[in-house]
Amino acid sequence: MTKCIEGNKIDGLSVISSLDVDQLDAGSHKFWFRAATDALAQWQHLPVWVFKGTEPGKKIMITAGVHGDEYNGVLSAHAIARALHGKSLKGCVTIVPTVNLSGMLHHSRDFFSSDPDVSCGNLNRHFPGNPQGNEPQRYLDPIWRNLLQPNADLAIDLHTQTSGTRYPLYVFADYRLDDAVNMARLMNPDAILNDPGDPGILETVWNQNGIPSITVEAGVGRYTDMEMVNRTVRGMLNIFTLYGLIDGEFAAVEPAIESARVTSIRAVQGGFILPQVELMQTVEKDQLLAIQYDSFGEEEYRYHAPEGGVVLSHNVESMRAAGSLVIRLIHPGATL
């Protein structure tokens, strides 16, 4: 059920501790979802948009900001909400645009814990949470149980590449799930990875609970890329159109690179690295990918392609620590 906390409002909007979109009237609704307390005993609240149609249909959940430095995903969630406002709808779309509040406040990928025994870490390894676990797990548990899981037939999780590196429009999908593959292709991305998923990732947990989902990566962390945002919104509108939530023009699906394998080339030591290739460029085995310089500007190392592929990611911050990503290649047509 949708449970409003009696007498509790923020900026005139009701505060809820659980959501059931089936109980809501048709139209748009804005709430603050009460997630968990911080170390100052203050409640943390997530903004939630709900767009419910006058007729039954699919329930789609959109999340963003699971990593706090990935603003293009958040901007895409905002933009799709604006696109849906006042639009005739069947079914329901729920949007949770800023999941990782502490990470966003720190402009960081990580979740920040005040518990000295808990290192700041990747929130997208802790789903679905645990009411008896550590701080990030306790934070996620009510979000998953009372907000996300009960209100979705399909799910889209919006991300970007980690700060310092960039992606094209790139989608992770589990090819064992037809709806996941369909949604991935409807996004009209540059590349799709057939990825069964790892434990603790939101997409994996959705799929394990019978709710087909995809993870959408749009551009670079921290920096705004409106071309990527606009492409992401068009892709989501494609999904809504095909699944019957809205009427409108359907953008033709262009073939994307599809693969089940990527190769990551990482810095052998710290230094300043300048890529010698561009996103989505086809490269051959042994082709020069990047050149590394030391603190004097002297050349230290050259990175070459271990095999042929297409450039899926490269660094945009030149100063790189040892082990950090330099280039990621995707191998078209590779299977699991």
Side-chain angles (χ1 to χ4, degrees):
M1 57 182 274
T2 298
K3 184 176 180 181
C4 291
I5 299 172
E6 188 174 350
N8 195 321
K9 291 195 172 186
I10 298 175
D11 297 332
L13 299 179
S14 295
V15 176
I16 61 173
S17 58
S18 64
L19 177 67
D20 181 355
V21 297
D22 292 334
Q23 289 187 336
L24 299 178
D25 294 332
S28 64
H29 306 265
K30 292 166 72 175
F31 301 106
W32 290 105
F33 177 81
R34 176 179 280 188
T37 58
D38 62 19
L40 292 174
Q42 295 175 344
W43 285 99
Q44 300 169 86
H45 298 92
L46 305 183
V48 179
W49 264 108
V50 180
F51 297 89
K52 185 174 180 181
T54 55
E55 299 180 47
K58 290 285 188 183
K59 295 184 289 188
I60 297 183
M61 176 68 69
I62 297 170
T63 50
V66 171
H67 293 137
D69 61 345
E70 299 184 0
Y71 305 147
N72 288 326
V74 175
L75 294 175
S76 298
H78 291 166
I80 198 67
R82 292 192 295 270
L84 290 175
H85 198 68
K87 187 178 278 291
S88 178
L89 192 72
K90 297 178 183 177
C92 187
V93 177
T94 303
I95 303 172
V96 186
T98 55
V99 173
N100 182 359
L101 297 177
S102 68
M104 297 204 71
L105 288 170
H106 285 83
H107 304 279
S108 170
R109 173 183 177 85
D110 290 339
F111 177 90
F112 280 74
S113 174
S114 297
D115 184 346
D117 291 326
V118 177
S119 299
C120 299
N122 188 344
L123 195 64
N124 207 25
R125 299 298 183 271
H126 290 286
F127 283 95
N130 180 349
Q132 306 302 321
N134 59 26
E135 185 179 7
Q137 292 167 341
R138 290 176 188 238
Y139 175 78
L140 287 177
D141 174 67
I143 295 172
W144 172 255
R145 284 190 298 107
N146 299 327
L147 177 60
L148 302 184
Q149 184 184 20
N151 297 297
D153 299 318
L154 302 168
I156 303 169
D157 191 25
L158 303 176
H159 289 253
T160 75
Q161 175 61 302
T162 303
S163 291
T165 49
R166 66 184 299 222
Y167 272 140
L169 191 60
Y170 172 43
V171 179
F172 292 86
D174 188 335
Y175 274 48
R176 295 171 296 186
L177 304 173
D178 289 342
D179 280 317
V181 178
N182 288 340
M183 287 193 294
R185 291 171 175 160
L186 288 167
M187 285 298 303
N188 262 331
D190 299 298
I192 305 171
L193 184 69
N194 176 7
D195 180 34
D198 293 320
I201 293 175
L202 179 55
E203 178 197 343
T204 305
V205 174
W206 280 124
N207 292 339
Q208 289 171 339
N209 282 270
I211 300 166
S213 72
I214 56 174
T215 300
V216 179
E217 306 273 1
V220 62
R222 294 194 67 168
Y223 298 104
T224 302
D225 186 336
M226 288 309 299
E227 179 184 356
M228 285 292 171
V229 170
N230 292 335
R231 287 184 64 190
T232 301
V233 171
R234 287 197 297 270
M236 288 190 287
L237 290 173
N238 249 14
I239 292 171
F240 298 164
T241 302
L242 184 76
Y243 281 91
L245 278 78
I246 61 173
D247 295 324
E249 294 185 8
F250 180 81
V253 174
E254 301 292 335
I257 290 174
E258 299 189 24
S259 178
R261 189 166 66 87
V262 296
T263 298
S264 297
I265 294 96
R266 298 188 176 275
V268 297
Q269 65 179 62
F272 296 82
I273 298 177
L274 299 181
Q276 304 298 303
V277 290
E278 301 290 337
L279 282 184
M280 303 308 296
Q281 179 179 333
T282 299
V283 298
E284 305 296 329
K285 185 178 186 297
D286 297 325
Q287 184 171 334
L288 178 65
L289 301 177
I291 302 174
Q292 182 167 5
Y293 301 88
D294 66 14
S295 294
F296 294 93
E298 298 281 0
E299 184 176 316
E300 282 259 316
Y301 196 84
R302 291 191 167 215
Y303 296 86
H304 295 86
E307 59 181 299
V310 174
V311 178
L312 184 65
S313 182
H314 65 71
N315 67 292
V316 292
E317 291 181 354
S318 57
M319 189 171 70
R320 307 300 286 163
S324 61
L325 183 68
V326 177
I327 301 286
R328 179 165 290 145
L329 302 176
I330 190 168
H331 306 287
T335 59
L336 289 173

